[in-house]
Amino acid sequence: MSDYFKKIKKIRYGDILNQSDKIYAHLSNKDDRIETLEEHADLCIVYFKRLIHVKNLEKVFENMEKILFSKRNPDYIKLFREMLYHTIYLHDIGKINCNYQVNKMKNNYHRKYLSYDSNNSTHSMLSSILYMNEYYPEIKKNVDLSARNQFIALMVMNAYVISRHHGNLISMKDFEDRLLNPDGDGQQLATEQKIIYEDVYIREVFQGNPRACLQSIINRSRKYLKERQKEASIDFYIYVRFLSSLLFSCDYYATTEFKTRKEIMDFGTIEDVWHLFDIYKSNPIYKSIQTYRKSRYTKQKVEKTEDINVLRNEMFLEAGEELEKNQHSNIYFLEAPTGSGKSMVSFHLAFQLISGNKELNKIIYVYPYNTLVEQNMNSLAKIFGEEETKKNISVINSLVPIKKYKIETKEETEEMSDNIDYDRSLLSWQFLLYPMNLTTHVSLFRYFFGCGKEDLFPLIQLANSVIIFDEIHSYRNDIWKNIIIFLQHYAKILNIKMILMSATLPDLGKLTDTQAYITRLIKDRNKYFLNPVFKDRVKLDFSLMELKEDKMEKLIKHIQKTAEIDNINILIEFIFRSSAEKAYEILKDTDISGKEVQMLTGDVSSYERKNIIHKFCSRKNLILVATQVVEAGIDIDADIGYKDISLLDSEEQFLGRINRHYAGHNKYGIVYFFDMDNAGLIYRNDIRKDKILTLAQDDMKEVLIKKDFKTYYDKVIAFLKSRGHIFQDFCVDQVETLNFPEVEKTMNLIQGDIKYSVFLSRKIELEDGKVLDGDIVWEDYVNLLENTEMDYAEKRVRLSEVAVKLQYFVIQTRDPAFKWEKHIGDLYYLSDTEEYFEDGKFIRKNFDNDLFIN
């Protein structure tokens, strides 16, 4: 057990409260049990210490201390630790509120303290007030004037965390206003409403002058934060979020143990990394790489090779060697061509990091799309085996139900075989309590920047982890600088090792003032990118870009001609869904040499998408008309492609869908680019949409042919650097002021119009012949939501299972003018929807043509 808090002075409830044993924290209605405030606080500290030990959080706190205290004054370090400890221990002290005790805890002992002057039954803000009341005198007494404002600012941040432990994060200004405004609940609790707790709390509140003290506290805190360097505000931002996550976790674990009588011991760390690493090393691919290592090619021989596996082996070994030389780094860039085995390399790097650093204990693999998460679970099953994959790896997204754990008993009878431990199942999902987690960029950014409690729950689990970012170029480039700087700070403070990888990887380090602790794992990218095995896998043809009129008609004729080649699959990507639908309608009614035509857009359900992908990957003589969903979100392989030009990154991603199994002899593998729709309407805020950075320019054609993405990204980054003042404004206006909701809004990866979710009820025949009835799915969903008797954890797990079925029926629309019969929350129900489908496919225009106000 960590001795991090061994030397601190601990507050005892009996020293500051009258009759502390008569103050309740929780009730269990099932069995009439009572948990006192002190019992709950003690149990929170048990989990606090357990998390510190299991998650190696002592390292994180020490990182914070190095940032906060340039001079290692032992008395200040001790006070910092004491204030941190008591943020957990005193977070519920506001439950001494007599109204809370009588009304919420049914504690009649406190009925004698009730007053008609106040009916305030809350406790979080009062806890915050009393926490500051404990530490403001300590700071004034023990901290020199030169450091006093710093400790007052830390005290205010800790108090803010306490005040939000039952709600979403708000701006610090809103919290401060609640303390300073005469009608704010914070100031009211420190002044007129003292009557609801003053008989229990034996200390004088703010030395008898609460208004002046609160004003002084907030003024000093604001002054300190304003005087810090702008990027330093990011460290305080992370500090508050991390402490919030820690408090939420301790409180949740302790409360769950009281209510369920089950101690929580599993925190989802990789306890036996060697076991998982041994399984990984037993994979045939890994073994073949180690065999190659013994008789490795010379550099000259590598450059001339036409064996793709030699290049994959070289990249695998080179990346590992560079990582070994740069263990001190926090962020690693892995730039690798499509088809070079990035996933295999990245997992090896993750295990290599964990094996060499005893503090690291979890792997998070982050994908740009939910569809990729699903697909890669199958790949991981091949690497680790079905049983280990089920046991140690979990998908955290909306498309996969919460992984269920069975109730553990010494003797499991046949009747108990289906018993589910819903509390453990939900807890593991909410807190990422799995050794290896697969999720999406959007989910990860919620953990880093979201304001909801469930956004913050997993943050402490990211500490001492390895996070692999796949296709990071897909992030909004107007916030690239924000992203890389925040990632640097998160990695530094939380001791996270980050691997950023892509076939088109921008050097985001150039957007920062320092590239310290950023390591490029591939030193000579041209050794791989310019090898014909990767460079010439797909030929590029720009002739269709010369079309000036009748573009669709001439494009279709070209596709018809190409379709005369037998035993090939053709992939066509448009920017606008309307263009894809138009091409699909023409092609499916046209003689195209017997080839079947399919369409894949964002309107396609997950079930239909799986069927289309499976058919395209397992058969030949197919034409797939699609939108951008095929660029990186779907694992398919076509022989010939057609693409409407957009961003250069997108062109390279599309090339990755063509001739993927090239072995140096496939005579196909060609992409025809055309220029039909205006990509600027889709990528409105993206600098890469500008014509000078697209295939409309000859020099960008050369960049794509020669895979010279450095030239391309140098231009993009130069432009972004010229807008450096935007980042400074962001720091001053949002981060420095700890305006959490605004930071969340700025860092949101997806920006767009409001969309409405519509449930189109119908019967769907599944692959196994079973029929999924939309009406039954809807009723199951509604009944679950409206069930007030079901345990919360069981409801959440069951809802996650029903949510998977909902995906078969839900479509999105931006236009609110649609007819609906009933709704629950933001989900609207429609029956008799067959008119919106043709051959089982949703036809958007049929739906849009039928819009009218309900």
Side-chain angles (χ1 to χ4, degrees), residues 90 139 201 207 293 364 632 675 683 695 698 701 788 807 850:
L90 298 176
I139 293 169
Y201 184 63
Q207 301 160 349
R293 185 197 292 270
I364 317 284
D675 187 0
Y683 304 101
L695 292 180
D698 290 341
K701 293 186 179 79
T788 58
Q807 302 295 327
D850 199 34

Side-chain angles (χ1 to χ4, degrees), residues 561-578:
K561 182 68 176 175
T562 302
E564 293 175 4
I565 303 172
D566 190 33
N567 205 38
I568 64 167
N569 285 350
I570 300 172
L571 177 62
I572 310 163
E573 181 188 324
F574 290 90
I575 295 172
F576 294 164
R577 185 188 65 242
S578 56

Side-chain angles (χ1 to χ4, degrees), residues 654-796:
F654 183 80
L655 296 180
R657 309 303 111 197
I658 308 298
N659 202 15
R660 297 185 70 159
H661 299 105
Y662 169 75
H665 52 71
N666 192 341
K667 64 181 178 180
Y668 304 120
I670 185 169
V671 168
Y672 298 96
F673 289 99
F674 58 94
D675 187 0
M676 186 172 294
D677 295 326
N678 181 6
L681 298 177
I682 299 292
Y683 304 101
R684 287 188 289 254
N685 297 319
D686 199 316
I687 178 59
R688 294 170 293 179
K689 73 180 184 305
D690 288 1
K691 285 290 185 182
I692 60 170
L693 294 172
T694 72
L695 292 180
Q697 303 297 314
D698 290 341
D699 61 336
M700 288 297 111
K701 293 186 179 79
E702 284 298 306
V703 164
L704 189 58
I705 292 169
K706 295 178 179 179
K707 310 299 179 188
D708 182 18
F709 298 111
K710 181 180 182 299
T711 297
Y712 167 65
Y713 278 123
D714 281 349
K715 293 182 178 182
V716 174
I717 286 175
F719 176 81
L720 294 176
K721 287 182 77 170
S722 71
R723 304 168 67 199
H725 65 282
I726 295 177
F727 174 74
Q728 293 301 322
D729 292 345
F730 166 64
C731 283
V732 171
D733 297 338
Q734 298 178 20
V735 184
E736 180 187 297
T737 58
L738 298 178
N739 192 334
F740 295 97
E742 285 303 310
V743 173
E744 178 184 27
K745 194 183 301 181
T746 297
M747 299 303 292
N748 192 349
L749 291 180
I750 299 175
Q751 290 189 325
D753 302 328
I754 295 174
K755 292 183 179 181
Y756 300 86
S757 297
V758 186
F759 185 97
L760 302 178
S761 185
R762 64 194 191 285
K763 289 185 171 68
I764 300 175
E765 185 174 348
L766 304 180
E767 211 167 29
D768 57 5
K770 293 181 180 178
V771 175
L772 195 61
D773 189 322
D775 283 349
I776 294 175
V777 172
W778 174 266
E779 289 303 317
D780 287 346
Y781 179 62
V782 172
N783 290 339
L784 268 174
L785 284 179
E786 295 180 345
N787 188 327
T788 58
E789 297 180 2
M790 184 180 292
D791 179 78
Y792 174 75
E794 180 178 354
K795 178 185 281 194
R796 286 292 303 274

Side-chain angles (χ1 to χ4, degrees), residues 181-369:
N181 291 343
D183 57 350
D185 58 337
Q187 184 162 135
Q188 288 282 311
L189 285 164
T191 54
E192 287 89 347
Q193 294 180 5
K194 282 193 298 184
I195 193 170
I196 64 178
Y197 61 88
E198 63 183 357
D199 289 311
V200 176
Y201 184 63
I202 63 179
R203 303 254 210 239
E204 185 177 35
V205 179
F206 292 122
Q207 301 160 349
N209 194 2
R211 289 187 176 87
C213 281
L214 287 171
Q215 187 69 61
S216 176
I217 286 169
I218 299 307
N219 288 345
R220 286 173 172 268
S221 175
R222 286 174 175 173
K223 184 174 187 294
Y224 174 77
L225 290 175
K226 196 169 186 62
E227 289 172 349
R228 299 308 93 199
Q229 292 181 347
K230 300 314 169 196
E231 274 194 40
S233 61
I234 295 175
D235 297 328
F236 292 111
Y237 175 91
I238 294 172
Y239 171 79
V240 172
R241 292 184 63 80
F242 184 77
L243 186 54
S244 297
S245 178
L246 196 52
L247 174 55
F248 293 170
S249 300
C250 297
D251 191 27
Y252 196 101
Y253 292 151
T255 304
T256 299
E257 178 177 328
F258 169 72
K259 290 185 175 178
T260 64
R261 290 186 165 183
K262 289 184 287 190
E263 188 177 6
I264 298 163
M265 299 298 294
D266 183 5
F267 295 96
T269 55
I270 299 180
E271 304 255 334
D272 186 4
V273 66
W274 300 109
H275 171 63
L276 284 171
F277 202 4
D278 285 344
I279 295 172
Y280 174 81
K281 289 187 288 189
S282 68
N283 183 274
I285 296 175
Y286 182 88
K287 287 182 175 179
S288 69
I289 293 171
Q290 300 313 309
T291 300
Y292 170 81
R293 185 197 292 270
K294 297 172 184 176
S295 55
R296 198 165 173 181
Y297 281 23
T298 63
K299 181 180 179 182
Q300 291 75 19
K301 199 172 180 181
V302 169
E303 290 172 352
K304 295 178 181 178
T305 187
E306 293 184 1
D307 186 340
I308 193 171
N309 288 323
V310 169
L311 294 169
R312 288 170 175 163
N313 294 345
E314 279 292 323
M315 179 166 288
F316 184 102
L317 295 173
E318 181 182 344
E321 289 163 358
E322 286 300 320
L323 184 140
E324 193 64 36
K325 289 186 284 187
N326 295 277
Q327 290 275 353
H328 64 283
S329 292
N330 292 326
I331 297 178
Y332 301 91
F333 287 169
L334 177 61
E335 187 177 15
T338 301
S340 60
K342 290 195 299 292
S343 296
M344 191 73 180
V345 175
S346 64
F347 270 109
H348 178 257
L349 296 172
F351 280 120
Q352 190 175 339
L353 284 165
I354 291 175
S355 300
N357 187 334
K358 61 182 178 61
E359 291 159 348
L360 302 175
N361 51 35
K362 190 183 291 289
I363 296 173
I364 317 284
Y365 203 118
V366 191
Y367 298 90
Y369 306 102

Side-chain angles (χ1 to χ4, degrees), residues 406-407 409 411-422 798:
K406 289 188 176 180
I407 295 173
T409 58
E411 296 182 8
E412 186 174 301
T413 65
E414 186 175 338
E415 290 76 21
M416 295 176 64
S417 62
D418 291 330
N419 283 359
I420 302 299
D421 188 338
Y422 288 105
R798 291 187 179 277

Side-chain angles (χ1 to χ4, degrees), residues 94-111:
K95 288 183 176 181
I96 65 173
N97 179 345
C98 62
N99 292 322
Y100 182 89
Q101 287 298 308
V102 173
N103 298 332
K104 302 283 182 70
M105 294 291 101
K106 314 303 178 189
N107 186 349
N108 287 323
Y109 175 82
H110 289 266
R111 191 171 291 279

